[in-house]
Amino acid sequence: MAAYRDAFVVCLVALLVGTTASGTVAAQSQVTLTVTVVDQDGDTISDVDISARWDDGAGGPVNETTRANGQALVDVPAGANVTIQIHDDRYVRNVPVEVVDAETQAVEVDVSESATATVRAVNADGDPVENPRIRLYRDGNYVVDRNAGGDGSVTTKPVEEGEYRVIVTKPGFYRNLTSVDVSGETSATIQLREGAVLLRASVADDYFDDPRPIRDATVSISSDNGFSGTVPTLSDGTASVSVPVNDRYDVTVTKDGYETVDRTVRVDESETAIDVAIQRTPALTLTPTNRRVVVGETVRLTVVDEYGEPVANATVSQGGSEVGLTDAEGELSATVPSAGNVTFTATADDLSATANVTGVSADGDGGAATPAPTQEQTPTGTTDAGGPGFTAGLAALALLAAALLARHL
């Protein structure tokens, strides 16, 4: 029994060792790349140093030098994505060669004689343009893309000989696109021309289904390169400013009663138009139907928003106590509790508004009610002559009647 057990253990160990060894061999499987370096005429080049990396640069490098036949043998992991670069003072390649899913195969690397280019940007007077962006482009790749210094020039690292597209730009100047044939040590001077175009902003209130132009809004325009300008909108809501070409601008629109809107816009070399939508600053307005109300009577209060639209379910309070909520029409009836100034407050979301009414007593006095003053009256049924019911008016009538009677007699 023990003998069988020992035999089993030996077999298991052998199996594990065999599996591990097999996995190690598989993980370390190599393939050979036969790399041939050739010049512009297709001739092979000897004594060129090359290097190979894989796994996005994590693997390698493997360094080799081409032999007399222009070839070098490079061992790399099977299936790896390999990058092959050239290191030589005579020859250069702008873009490394990529080998995908490497296997035993031949790889041709075409190179060019090394050259440099110095590109200098000047203005119409021939003076250097400070800090322009200079790019050299060839075969679908930028070999140079950087900002020049104060002298307006850049010098490339060693690049392939040949024709390049040169693009020079700077805010405030028209772009210059030209071709330069680079060989040896090439110098090129590129002239930039200043220019400006219109930037037009159309400002409208888009609260309405048909946005309404906003007149007398202030449009402020600025850039990181020092430009700034401010102009009001016309009756059609437009404002136009002449701005330097090829720059990025910050546009700010302001108007009393409206929210401030910021925009960023890129202006190239043609007139540029932008639409800016603004809306009124959120606000509440609380309005009573009457400003003077008899104490104990109710006043109708109306709450509207910044556009005069009714605000439903706004909370109305007085003296710190809640009175109620507005209805769908934004209205609420509230009792005026006392004489004098009475303040009502309406709140909705984070907004609030107040309104004052004056409570008056029933006799119209704004303060406390007071009794009416007492007036002296003459007793009914007596006269100064002492006769009951006999008044001065009756005495005068009697005398007149007596005089008429005497004339007839």
Side-chain angles (χ1 to χ4, degrees):
M1 181 71 177
Y4 287 114
R5 185 168 56 250
D6 292 343
F8 174 76
V9 172
V10 170
C11 291
L12 180 59
V13 171
L15 179 61
L16 292 174
V17 171
T19 302
T20 302
S22 175
T24 301
V25 171
Q28 296 178 348
S29 177
Q30 300 283 300
V31 295
T32 300
L33 302 178
T34 302
V35 179
T36 303
V37 179
V38 299
D39 62 16
Q40 297 102 312
D41 298 324
D43 298 328
T44 60
I45 308 172
S46 62
D47 296 323
V48 175
D49 295 329
I50 65 175
S51 65
R53 288 185 178 274
W54 53 90
D55 294 340
D56 293 327
V62 173
N63 299 310
E64 296 290 347
T65 303
T66 59
R67 300 187 295 272
N69 61 356
Q71 293 183 344
L73 302 179
V74 180
D75 292 331
V76 297
N81 295 327
V82 182
T83 299
I84 299 175
Q85 291 182 302
I86 300 299
H87 309 280
D88 194 85
D89 293 334
R90 301 162 299 162
Y91 297 94
V92 67
R93 180 180 172 85
N94 290 340
V95 180
V97 172
E98 302 289 340
V99 178
V100 179
D101 194 12
E103 57 185 354
T104 299
Q105 63 188 97
V107 179
E108 184 172 277
V109 178
D110 56 306
V111 297
S112 172
E113 290 189 21
S114 178
T116 61
T118 298
V119 179
R120 180 171 177 261
V122 298
N123 60 23
D125 298 325
D127 298 323
V129 174
E130 295 184 1
N131 306 315
R133 182 182 180 185
I134 298 178
R135 288 171 285 176
L136 271 72
Y137 180 86
R138 186 184 188 210
D139 296 333
N141 298 285
Y142 285 106
V143 297
V144 170
D145 184 355
R146 68 174 187 263
N147 289 332
D151 63 353
S153 68
V154 297
T155 298
T156 70
K157 63 182 181 180
V159 297
E160 299 173 5
E161 284 188 340
E163 186 175 76
Y164 289 81
R165 299 290 281 173
V166 178
I167 307 168
V168 183
T169 57
K170 179 180 171 63
F173 293 80
Y174 287 107
R175 182 179 66 169
N176 188 302
L177 174 61
T178 189
S179 296
V180 174
D181 190 23
V182 177
S183 63
E185 295 181 353
T186 300
S187 295
T189 299
I190 308 297
Q191 187 181 86
L192 296 183
R193 183 168 55 91
E194 292 183 275
V197 295
L198 281 181
L199 171 59
R200 176 176 288 109
S202 296
V203 182
D205 188 338
D206 67 347
Y207 172 83
F208 306 97
D209 292 336
D210 185 12
R212 299 178 182 177
I214 300 299
R215 182 174 186 168
D216 292 330
T218 299
V219 179
S220 301
I221 301 173
S222 63
S223 76
D224 292 339
N225 293 294
F227 177 86
S228 64
T230 300
V231 64
T233 55
L234 303 176
S235 59
D236 62 353
T238 64
S240 299
V241 180
S242 181
V243 298
V245 298
N246 291 318
D247 205 354
R248 188 180 302 274
Y249 294 92
D250 295 322
V251 179
T252 300
V253 178
T254 58
K255 182 176 173 63
D256 288 343
Y258 283 79
E259 293 188 293
T260 298
V261 175
D262 295 312
R263 292 278 303 276
T264 299
V265 58
R266 173 74 188 182
V267 175
D268 294 321
E269 298 180 1
S270 58
E271 182 176 315
T272 301
I274 61 172
D275 294 323
V276 181
I278 65 174
Q279 290 192 6
R280 292 176 182 171
T281 304
L284 294 182
T285 300
L286 176 62
T287 306
T289 53
N290 295 297
R291 291 293 178 178
R292 292 173 59 85
V293 180
V294 174
V295 174
E297 298 295 329
T298 60
V299 61
R300 196 70 174 168
L301 302 171
T302 302
V303 181
V304 297
D305 65 12
E306 63 276 12
Y307 285 95
E309 298 293 336
V311 178
N313 298 316
T315 301
V316 178
S317 60
Q318 193 279 315
S321 298
E322 182 177 325
V323 175
L325 300 177
T326 57
D327 59 19
E329 301 300 321
E331 297 182 345
L332 172 75
S333 291
T335 301
V336 176
S338 59
N341 187 61
V342 178
T343 301
F344 291 94
T345 301
T347 58
D349 297 327
D350 296 329
L351 304 175
S352 65
T354 61
N356 296 320
V357 299
T358 301
V360 297
S361 61
D363 61 3
D365 187 6
T370 57
T374 302
Q375 296 182 353
E376 294 183 357
Q377 296 181 352
T378 302
T380 302
T382 62
T383 69
D384 290 341
F390 194 83
T391 65
L394 292 176
L397 290 175
L399 291 174
L400 179 60
L404 293 173
L405 181 61
R407 291 178 63 184
H408 287 289
L409 291 177

